[in-house]
Amino acid sequence: MTIIECKNVGKVYRRGVEAICDLSFTIEEGEFVYLLGASGSGKSTLLKTLYRDEAISSGTVMIDERDISKIKVRDLHKLRRDIGIIFQEYHLLPKKTVYENVRFALEILAFPEEEMDARIRQTLTLVELADKADCYPEELSGGQQQRVAIARALINEPRILLADEPTGNLDPRASMEIFRLLMRINRRGTTVLLATHDQHIFQRFHFRSLTMSGGQLVADESKKAVGSLQYDYKKKDFYIV
Ligand code: ADP
Ligand code: MG
């Protein structure tokens, strides 16, 4: 099933900056897709248009067969419930613990109070931070803080995860951990669109990639045949053969 469909999408910012132009592609539910391209090529703008943080100037964006330009402002939360987002910066609340940061996301969503604790614990376990629940962000490494941000983005079990250069501030080792986590999340059925510059990652793990340049889509390459990704059920991790 197609979960994201962009048809001739354009975005012109105020003062006439054309950030994306005539983009057309589709993403199927459950895919893992890289969004590649130099700085300024329009990656962040594209991600922002998908959850309607920025309105598009032309074309159509369909998420789960809904034309998102037609969603009324008061119904936008329904679209955003389906989409989790993470960024290069972690945007955690410094005076709240890991547990409270994640809980806060559920409070905003008016999630049933009695189910909150179980959901938070389950999500912290997924990102391997169950033992850090009572820590404050400043007590965590960058990679751990990003994992809290991922837990927060996933707390409502969204169908799509948009990741805007989430490893941009991390060293190669922490980046790889975040990337493996994104693969595990994808493996559970979540569609992942990952904007990245990180060559360690996209050269090693081959998934479909959309490449942007100057606001346009210049390549849409399917998984390359070099090596294939296998899942080790015992180790619960991926390896390449
Ligand atoms: P990337 O994420 O690939 O680095 P962006 O989507 O951030 O690219 O930016 C694409 C283009 O749009 C750039 O030329 C950038 O300067 C411009 N741009 C981004 N955000 C805004 C904004 N809020 N107002 C005006 N121009 C913007
Ligand atoms: Mg960007």
Side-chain angles (χ1 to χ4, degrees), residues 43-44 164-165:
K43 303 181 297 297
S44 296
D164 195 353
E165 306 205 31

Side-chain angles (χ1 to χ4, degrees), residues 3 182 196 218:
I3 192 152
L182 295 180
T196 185
V218 292

